[in-house]
Amino acid sequence: MLELFGHLFSSYTWKVLIPLHENGTPFQFRPLGPDQPENGAAFAGLWPLAKFPLLVDAGRPVMESSIIIEHLDRHHPGPVRFLPEDADAAIEVRMLDRIFDNHVMGQMQRVVNDALRPPERRDAVAVAEAKAALDRAYAWLDSWLEDRDWAAAGAFTLADCAAAPALFYADWVQPIAAEQSNLRAYRARLLARDSVARCVDDARPYRAYFPLGAPDRD
Ligand SMILES: N[C@@H](CCC(=O)N[C@@H](CS)C(=O)NCC(=O)O)C(=O)O
């Protein structure tokens, strides 16, 4: 039995829930939060760095969302494959996965983390830099997506699992410009996918906790 430690509002948890939902892979979700201290204790024992999600497969912990998806694709494959067989296509998928994690999710998290600090420890310069970096990433992605439905390799892959939560929350902290129509359409395409819509819906009860105030839209 697979166990997944995470939180339904957490972007990186979505990244792994999406492939699990895509293939209907059975797993036990172990939510992390004050109401489930036993999950927190088990999680802390398994992964002292305390970053989630964490997959446990037959007692073996698997860390890092991209690697968890690679693990699922190899050991628990379903009809949707997240890494292409072709080595060059797989490189393109991993490249886009890194771009979404490092240049979209990471910059979005810098802005969110700043808002979690007490006012005297906030850093307006760092927030402005993160938002400018998001704008540069959006511009590149808008042109990359000009002739693509999905991020890489002509199919829904690991890269789209990374893109969905990254773009969902990044657009809340730094809206994608109206003229970046390819990127906006791609975000809408991701949100229309059943696996992603399920993550969005399951997270709705937690929106009030968004540190910057959640907008009144998806
Ligand atoms: N590189 C990690 C990043 C995971 C990550 O940053 N998770 C966030 C939740 S979305 C987290 O653990 N936050 C709690 C913390 O930083 O203490 C991955 O891909 O799994």
Side-chain angles (χ1 to χ4, degrees):
M1 170 55 94
L2 295 170
E3 293 175 277
L4 185 74
F5 291 86
H7 193 284
L8 292 175
F9 198 49
S10 136
S11 50
Y12 276 109
T13 303
W14 285 19
K15 182 175 162 185
V16 169
L17 285 170
I18 290 165
L20 289 165
H21 294 334
E22 282 284 335
N23 280 331
T25 308
F27 69 102
Q28 184 192 2
F29 188 59
R30 298 197 56 182
L32 297 168
D35 295 338
Q36 297 89 11
E38 67 287 1
N39 289 347
F43 174 64
L46 288 162
W47 188 214
L49 272 61
K51 296 284 183 192
F52 47 91
L54 173 76
L55 183 80
V56 182
D57 186 352
R60 175 182 164 201
V62 185
M63 298 80 171
E64 291 292 328
S65 55
S66 302
I67 307 307
I68 294 171
I69 296 171
E70 295 228 20
H71 177 96
L72 291 171
D73 201 54
R74 177 170 297 232
H75 296 290
H76 304 272
V80 181
R81 300 305 301 264
F82 298 97
L83 272 305
E85 293 285 335
D86 178 79
D88 284 337
I91 287 175
E92 183 177 270
V93 166
R94 292 189 179 97
M95 179 174 81
L96 268 291
D97 173 67
R98 292 300 77 224
I99 290 168
F100 281 112
D101 272 16
N102 291 325
H103 303 295
V104 181
M105 196 96 97
Q107 300 298 346
M108 176 275 291
Q109 281 186 326
R110 281 175 75 193
V111 180
V112 171
N113 289 343
D114 186 82
L116 287 168
R117 294 196 195 104
E120 68 279 8
R121 291 188 52 220
R122 291 190 191 147
D123 183 345
V125 173
V127 168
E129 284 173 358
K131 290 186 173 184
L134 279 174
D135 285 339
R136 286 194 296 277
Y138 291 168
W140 184 83
L141 285 165
D142 190 60
S143 97
W144 175 261
L145 289 162
E146 189 161 2
D147 51 2
R148 290 174 173 87
D149 283 342
W150 303 115
F156 187 91
T157 65
L158 162 70
D160 303 292
C161 299
L167 289 174
F168 180 80
Y169 287 114
D171 185 53
W172 280 11
V173 312
Q174 178 70 352
I176 300 166
E179 58 270 25
Q180 289 168 334
S181 52
N182 300 322
L183 184 55
R184 288 169 71 94
Y186 173 59
R187 184 178 182 276
R189 225 164 14 251
L190 288 166
L191 295 191
R193 190 112 181 161
D194 285 349
S195 58
V196 179
R198 184 167 164 192
C199 289
V200 172
D201 285 340
D202 288 349
R204 286 188 200 284
Y206 304 99
R207 283 196 182 186
Y209 299 113
F210 191 67
L212 295 151
D216 192 17
R217 63 175 174 86
D218 286 348

